[in-house]
Amino acid sequence: MIKENIAALRKMLDEYNYQYYILDNPSVPDSEYDRLFRELQALEQQHPELITKDSPTQRIGAAPLNEFQEVEHKQAMLSLDNAFSDEELFVFNKRICERLHVEQVSYFCEPKLDGLAINLLYENGILVQAATRGDGFKGEDVTQNVRTISSIPLHLRGNDYPNSIEIRGEVIMPLKGFNAMNAKAHTLDEKVFANPRNAAAGSLRQLDPKITAQRPLAFFSYGIGDPGEYVLPNTQSELIEQLGKWGIRISPLGYVANNIEDCARYHADLLRKRAQLDYEIDGVVYKVNRLDWQQQLGFVARAPRFALAHKFPAQEEMTIVESVDFQVGRTGALTPVARLKPVVVGGVTVRNATLHNMDEIERKDVRIHDTVIVRRAGDVIPEVVSVVLSKRPEHAEKIKLPKKCPVCGAEVLHHPGEAVARCADGLLCPAQRAASIKHFASKSALDIEGLGEKLVEQLVELDIIKTPADLYNLTIEKLAQMPRMGQKSAENIMQALESSKKTTLHKFIYALGIREVGTQTALALAEYFQDLNKLMHADEETLQQVSDVGVVVANNIAHFFKMQRHQALIQALQTAGIHWDVVKKSTHQPLSGKTFVLTGTLINLTREEAKERLQALGAKVSESVSSKT
Ligand code: IVH
């Protein structure tokens, strides 16, 4: 009974796995899979004698190795001839037609996956060995790592598989997983991989399979090695179809082209689709579709005559960093940009590449005049991946963070432990004007209704407003000139501006857009100082007395108010008529120490009003639920 139960669970899990990983079409939610998986685990724990090596619970758990064993492939793993243009493709076809004495050849076309080749040996339908390509004849035994890859079945489906067969394909790292893995590695200060192929290779060559199991690896098969006693079908496409029936993952992009012109079209189509795929491909592989013709054509040196890799433009190239500039973003973040000796990457001329931030520059040790590898994948901004150290010239210069903002000349702040350096001028730096004015007008700040984001951008663009104080010099006439602005809307905005003049100290502090001073901190500051002048003249030590204010925030605040232009702005705003009542700290604070999160629609009051009332009673209002809520 238990035995049957276990068998039934494994069968269901295999089926769901097949639907999920091979067909890419799950029929049950993950939670159902997890539930059955745990059920099987529990039964196996009670009856360890019933555990089999190909049970879905047995993917992870092998002990770390000291080294990989050498494995001889039953049939050599060869490489492919390359073509870089349609002309070369036509030459390839002509040679084949001549050799076969035929007019036209049909080809099986597939993406050329950018990962690493793997040979899977299935005996009696069970995965018994997985090996890397190595020198083509002998590779490394990475079986226990490959067993952790969910899209590689531990046993074949059906009952018509041969006693022994070598199945071949590519282990890849999908982009989503690659990016997430690198982002995590970055925050933990661990090794970041330059590209998905290196990441896949590095992950598969881990001696501890538990590490491999955490890496987001996937697999697609493109053929077989030694077929054992499997009687081959007539064509490559039928062979691939058969692999699919055995539960092996094959590319959904496989295609039978009737002639070479059709191949060229497939190549052009796939190049267009390249950026949308969740994995990297570096070209197309064509194989003569008829297997008897493949045999007849045979091999030259290390590559088959019947196949060709038609490459896409490379996504990585080498060039030289000529200089480095710093760009200031809308939030004041300074981004170092490498100015490059122009180079064609992925078919596009690249002159600039991002260096992300100072931490990244340090980590990659990029210097001016260095030769670097530049990468441009899909629609992503080109980036400097790494330095070719062997080519570093003697006059290579270290990159220094500028002391002053290149846009407005304000001081640049770079707090220890923070990757990003910023312009200290949150409000008036031209690079940040629109963002800071939008912030000033937002609901939790001065709440200027009708002053939308687009309108602010247009007003800044046309130089009609430069600072939040300029908002109060707007007139109906000026506003009415703006596109899609009627008289009535202009009047409404003027009315909203007038109403916004009466505010509260904490809203005003928040509206200034001091870095890391949110509504909560603004309220704490208002209650502590009760007077703007006192806040403006407080030293960092005093500021740190305020709840919520640590070293970094205290430094941000003190810096902000020290700047002449911020003092002038505050003066201008007050002259424009902005005022507030003296803050009286409420003594009745029954909700102090409690944190609230507001969601959904409230009856009779807006969320903003509810937030204010809660805060007045001493509560903290947070955006998301935490253990303190
Ligand atoms: S067929 C006889 N098909 O490219 C060689 N290879 O440059 C049979 N590759 O080592 C290979 N995608 O790792 C084939 N759809 C595909 C491929 C593919 C990627 C890799 C494979 C091979 C290398 C050869």
Side-chain angles (χ1 to χ4, degrees):
M1 191 56 202
I2 301 273
K3 211 168 165 180
E4 282 79 42
N5 262 350
I6 286 182
L9 282 168
R10 284 184 192 152
K11 196 159 169 228
M12 272 192 281
L13 287 166
D14 276 345
E15 184 59 31
Y16 294 151
N17 225 31
Y18 174 70
Q19 291 169 355
Y20 188 96
Y21 289 105
I22 313 300
L23 303 182
D24 211 3
N25 185 19
S27 65
V28 294
D30 292 0
S31 56
E32 176 63 9
Y33 182 92
D34 295 342
R35 193 184 63 75
L36 296 174
F37 190 89
R38 280 193 302 270
E39 207 175 303
L40 176 59
Q41 256 180 337
L43 284 178
E44 285 181 343
Q45 226 160 42
Q46 289 160 19
H47 301 276
E49 73 283 1
L50 297 178
I51 298 177
T52 54
K53 272 204 90 168
D54 64 336
S55 168
T57 59
Q58 302 302 301
R59 284 192 177 269
I60 319 170
L65 297 173
N66 292 322
E67 57 174 7
F68 295 112
Q69 297 299 310
E70 203 177 68
V71 177
E72 196 162 341
H73 306 306
K74 291 185 185 223
Q75 210 173 74
M77 293 179 81
L78 303 176
S79 62
L80 290 167
D81 254 354
N82 289 324
F84 294 91
S85 66
D86 282 0
E87 287 70 46
E88 288 176 81
L89 172 61
F90 296 138
V91 170
F92 160 79
N93 178 60
K94 190 158 170 265
R95 239 186 352 238
I96 285 189
C97 290
E98 281 168 9
R99 273 189 176 263
L100 294 172
H101 305 291
V102 295
E103 290 287 305
Q104 192 167 296
V105 171
S106 147
Y107 294 93
F108 185 67
C109 314
E110 257 179 332
K112 185 170 194 304
L113 302 157
D114 204 4
L116 70 153
I118 200 91
N119 185 45
L120 308 171
L121 178 62
Y122 284 89
E123 282 180 350
N124 301 314
I126 310 265
L127 174 67
V128 294
Q129 190 179 70
T132 59
R133 177 166 181 265
D135 65 2
F137 303 101
K138 284 182 188 152
E140 284 177 323
D141 185 338
V142 289
T143 311
Q144 52 176 356
N145 289 343
V146 163
R147 287 171 59 87
T148 69
I149 303 174
S150 305
S151 49
I152 295 183
L154 296 178
H155 50 241
L156 300 178
R157 284 168 72 84
N159 46 23
D160 59 345
Y161 43 74
N163 288 349
S164 167
I165 186 167
E166 284 184 329
I167 292 177
R168 294 188 174 166
E170 200 87 346
V171 170
I172 54 166
M173 188 174 285
L175 291 170
K176 210 154 122 211
F178 168 74
N179 291 327
M181 186 182 101
N182 257 359
K184 190 170 158 214
H186 192 195
T187 58
L188 297 174
D189 237 359
E190 286 171 3
K191 183 182 159 83
V192 175
F193 288 99
N195 56 47
R197 177 171 22 88
N198 291 1
S203 300
L204 206 57
R205 295 198 71 263
Q206 291 291 330
L207 289 166
D208 184 353
K210 288 199 180 57
I211 297 177
T212 310
Q214 289 162 12
R215 304 286 172 82
L217 294 173
F219 169 81
F220 283 108
S221 171
Y222 48 67
I224 60 172
D226 180 17
E229 68 278 46
Y230 168 51
V231 182
L232 294 174
N234 293 326
T235 59
Q236 180 76 26
S237 52
E238 288 165 290
L239 168 66
I240 295 297
E241 208 175 299
Q242 177 60 66
L243 294 179
K245 287 185 187 147
W246 286 333
I248 295 289
R249 190 165 184 227
I250 50 171
S251 172
L253 300 167
Y255 172 75
V256 178
N258 288 323
N259 50 47
I260 204 69
E261 288 76 23
D262 211 8
C263 288
R265 267 193 297 277
Y266 177 85
H267 183 268
D269 276 350
L270 198 57
L271 181 54
R272 268 193 295 276
K273 283 192 199 135
R274 185 190 203 181
Q276 278 127 51
L277 296 179
D278 184 40
Y279 47 88
E280 295 214 319
I281 58 176
D282 55 352
V284 169
V285 179
Y286 311 110
K287 292 169 196 142
V288 169
N289 201 26
R290 272 177 61 165
L291 295 186
D292 57 338
W293 283 358
Q294 286 194 5
Q295 258 218 305
Q296 200 178 323
L297 287 161
F299 300 84
V300 254
R302 306 283 312 273
R305 263 199 209 93
F306 58 79
L308 183 74
H310 187 178
K311 301 296 272 293
F312 288 148
Q315 297 190 315
E316 286 182 7
E317 292 291 348
M318 223 161 59
T319 187
I320 291 170
V321 175
E322 295 186 325
S323 62
V324 172
D325 287 340
F326 284 80
Q327 282 178 349
V328 187
R330 280 143 51 101
T331 60
L334 265 67
T335 304
V337 178
R339 305 294 179 199
L340 307 168
K341 182 159 175 246
V343 59
V344 178
V345 190
V348 171
T349 304
V350 172
R351 295 186 168 79
N352 309 304
T354 181
L355 287 160
H356 300 292
N357 54 54
M358 289 311 286
D359 276 12
E360 285 289 298
I361 291 180
E362 185 105 336
R363 197 172 61 71
K364 293 175 185 161
D365 187 22
V366 182
R367 303 185 191 182
I368 298 167
H369 307 304
D370 260 343
T371 295
V372 293
I373 292 169
V374 180
R375 182 176 172 78
R376 181 190 159 273
D379 303 330
V380 186
I381 302 169
E383 64 167 346
V384 171
V385 179
S386 58
V387 175
V388 184
L389 276 179
S390 59
K391 289 184 182 275
R392 172 167 285 167
E394 272 193 4
H395 65 292
E397 262 171 66
K398 285 216 172 198
I399 298 162
K400 286 197 211 84
L401 181 70
K403 293 205 160 55
K404 305 250 178 252
C405 169
V407 176
C408 74
E411 199 180 340
V412 167
L413 300 179
H414 190 198
H415 294 297
E418 275 184 22
V420 178
R422 285 174 201 277
C423 163
D425 188 349
L427 270 177
L428 303 175
C429 173
Q432 304 169 64
R433 268 177 203 160
S436 62
I437 295 172
K438 281 182 213 165
H439 173 83
F440 184 86
S442 67
K443 228 171 174 43
S444 303
L446 263 65
D447 191 12
I448 307 169
E449 227 176 291
L451 192 74
E453 300 205 347
K454 256 267 89 57
L455 180 60
V456 171
E457 278 165 25
Q458 286 163 345
L459 289 164
V460 169
E461 191 80 12
L462 295 170
D463 252 351
I464 298 174
I465 53 174
K466 290 197 176 74
T467 78
D470 295 337
L471 287 170
Y472 297 96
N473 294 328
L474 283 172
T475 58
I476 291 189
E477 292 72 38
K478 280 190 206 164
L479 279 171
Q481 290 166 20
M482 305 305 292
R484 284 182 301 280
M485 173 75 64
Q487 177 79 13
K488 186 78 198 132
S489 310
E491 279 171 20
N492 286 345
I493 292 174
M494 290 305 293
Q495 184 54 51
L497 279 163
E498 201 47 44
S499 318
S500 74
K501 288 182 182 169
K502 179 171 167 40
T503 183
T504 59
L505 177 56
H506 70 267
K507 283 186 163 230
F508 185 77
I509 296 170
Y510 173 71
L512 292 173
I514 307 166
R515 270 203 67 68
E516 287 174 69
V517 175
T519 51
Q520 210 82 246
T521 311
L523 188 68
L525 289 166
E527 288 197 338
Y528 187 93
F529 291 100
Q530 302 190 17
D531 178 276
L532 183 63
N533 251 313
K534 285 192 189 136
L535 168 63
M536 287 175 72
H537 293 101
D539 57 26
E540 291 183 36
E541 214 164 287
T542 314
L543 286 163
Q544 283 179 49
Q545 303 300 311
V546 181
S547 68
D548 262 13
V549 178
V551 184
V552 171
V553 181
N555 181 266
N556 287 344
I557 299 169
H559 240 101
F560 183 92
F561 289 117
K562 233 180 259 158
M563 289 176 70
Q564 181 64 51
R565 57 178 114 178
H566 291 162
Q567 294 167 9
L569 172 73
I570 291 164
Q571 180 68 55
L573 286 166
Q574 288 183 308
T575 309
I578 301 210
H579 63 284
W580 50 86
D581 290 337
V582 179
V583 184
K584 276 193 232 83
K585 195 176 160 87
S586 151
T587 44
H588 179 61
Q589 299 222 306
L591 300 183
S592 94
K594 292 201 160 68
T595 303
F596 285 74
V597 177
L598 298 171
T599 65
T601 315
L602 301 164
I603 308 168
N604 289 337
L605 73 171
T606 65
R607 234 191 257 174
E608 195 53 37
E609 287 163 342
K611 179 173 165 184
E612 277 174 29
R613 286 207 212 163
L614 285 165
Q615 285 174 336
L617 296 171
K620 267 195 174 192
V621 179
S622 151
E623 294 296 324
S624 58
V625 178
S626 76
S627 59
K628 292 195 200 131
T629 310

